[in-house]
C-alpha cells in the first residue's frame, strides 16, 4: 500500500456487496482496505484485509490508526449489515441490541471514526452508507431492521449537515433486493432478473466517491433495479 495516497475503507468488505465495492474501488485506482471479521472469499486482488469487528470500539480505533499510518482516509463505505425478521413488540432485549448494533451503531462507529480523521487531515473525504429501501418504505415483520436502517438514513443526513464546511460528503445508497448468492438460496424460484446486481450498486457507490460527486452530500440514492 502506498504511504502517500489516501485509502478507501470498505466496512463489511467481505460480504456480497462489500466485496463488489472493494473490487470496483481497486479498479477506480484507490488503495483499498477491506475491514470485516473475516477476509473476502475469494480474495480481492489489490486490497488489504484488516480484521475489524465493528461492534468492538477498540477494533475501530485500531483500524483508524492503521489507515492513518498507511496514508490516511480518502473514503469509507459502510457495507456491513444484515437482514432478520421480527416484531417490534416481541423482539427480546439482546436480539434488539444486536440488530441495532449490526445495522446502525457499527456503521455509525466507522463513519464517525473516519470523519474525525478526515477533519484532522483537512482535505475533505467521502462517506457512503449502504442502507436499504426498507429505510423509506414501511413494512411489518422487520422492526429492528427498519428502525436501524431509517436511523442510518437520518444519521447520513445529519452528518452531511454537520460536515458541510469540511469538504467531507456523506451519502447513502438504498438497494432493494440485490442479486446475491444468499438471496438466490433464500428465494428459490424468484425472478432474479428484477434484482439489482451488486456490481451496479457498487457503481453507484463509485460515482459518489468520484470527483464529479463532490458537491453531492446528504443524498439517498435509490438503486432498486426492477425489484
Ligand atoms: N442483500 C440484499 O438484498 C440487500 C438489500 C438491501 C440492503 N442490503 C444491505 O446491504 C448491505 C450488504 O448486504 P449483503 O447482502 O452484501 O450482506 P452480506 O453478504 O451478509 O455481508 C454482510 C457484511 O457485513 C459484515 N459484518 C457483519 N457484522 C459485522 C461486524 N460486527 N463487524 C464488521 N463487519 C460485519 C460481514 O462481514 P464479517 O461477517 O466478515 O464480519 C459481511 O462482510 C447490508 O447493510 C444489507 O442490509 C442488502
Amino acid at each position: 500500500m502506498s504511504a502517500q495516497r489516501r485509502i478507501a475503507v470498505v466496512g463489511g468488505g467481505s460480504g456480497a456487496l462489500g466485496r463488489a465495492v472493494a473490487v470496483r474501488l481497486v479498479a477506480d485506482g484507490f488503495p483499498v482496505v477491506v475491514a470485516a471479521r473475516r477476509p473476502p472469499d475469494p480474495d480481492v486482488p489489490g486490497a488489504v484485509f484488516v480484521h475489524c469487528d465493528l461492534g468492538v470500539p477498540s477494533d475501530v480505533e485500531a483500524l483508524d490508526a492503521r489507515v492513518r499510518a498507511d496514508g490516511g482516509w480518502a473514503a469509507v463505505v459502510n457495507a456491513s449489515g444484515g437482514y432478520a425478521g421480527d416484531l417490534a413488540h416481541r423482539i427480546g432485549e439482546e436480539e434488539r441490541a444486536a440488530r441495532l448494533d449490526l445495522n446502525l451503531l457499527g456503521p455509525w462507529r466507522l463513519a464517525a471514526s473516519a470523519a474525525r480523521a478526515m477533519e484532522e487531515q483537512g482535505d475533505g473525504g467521502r462517506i457512503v452508507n449502504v442502507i436499504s429501501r426498507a429505510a423509506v418504505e414501511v413494512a411489518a415483520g422487520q422492526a429492528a431492521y427498519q428502525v436501524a436502517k431509517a436511523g442510518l438514513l437520518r444519521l447520513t443526513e445529519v452528518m452531511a449537515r454537520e460536515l458541510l464546511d469540511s469538504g467531507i460528503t456523506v451519502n447513502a445508497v438504498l438497494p432493494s433486493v440485490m442479486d446475491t448468492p444468499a438471496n438466490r438460496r433464500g428465494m428459490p424460484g424468484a425472478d432474479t432478473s428484477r434484482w439489482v446486481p451488486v456490481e451496479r450498486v457498487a457503481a453507484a457507490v463509485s460515482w459518489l466517491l468520484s470527483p464529479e460527486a463532490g458537491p453531492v452530500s446528504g443524498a439517498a440514492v435509490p438503486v432498486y433495479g426492477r425489484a
Side-chain angles (χ1 to χ4, degrees), residues 11-18 35-39 52-55 78-83 101-103 130-133 145 149 174-180 182-183 198:
S14 60
L17 175 62
R37 293 168 303 179
R38 65 191 159 89
C52 179
D53 184 337
L54 294 171
N78 265 313
S80 63
Y83 177 84
D101 206 78
L102 173 63
N103 283 304
V130 176
I131 309 186
S132 166
R133 187 177 193 162
Y145 190 74
K149 294 294 190 185
L174 276 48
S176 60
V177 185
M178 295 192 295
D179 191 354
T180 67
N183 280 341
V198 287

Side-chain angles (χ1 to χ4, degrees), residues 72-132:
W73 295 77
V76 65
V77 181
N78 265 313
S80 63
Y83 177 84
D86 53 48
L87 293 170
H89 65 300
R90 295 278 181 201
I91 190 168
E93 288 288 343
E94 269 182 37
E95 248 182 318
R96 181 173 54 199
R99 290 181 192 170
L100 293 179
D101 206 78
L102 173 63
N103 283 304
L104 174 59
L105 300 182
W108 188 341
R109 273 179 208 109
L110 183 56
S113 172
R116 288 192 295 272
M118 289 169 182
E119 264 191 342
E120 285 173 34
Q121 289 169 189
D123 55 359
R126 303 293 169 92
I127 297 171
V128 176
N129 295 319
V130 176
I131 309 186
S132 166

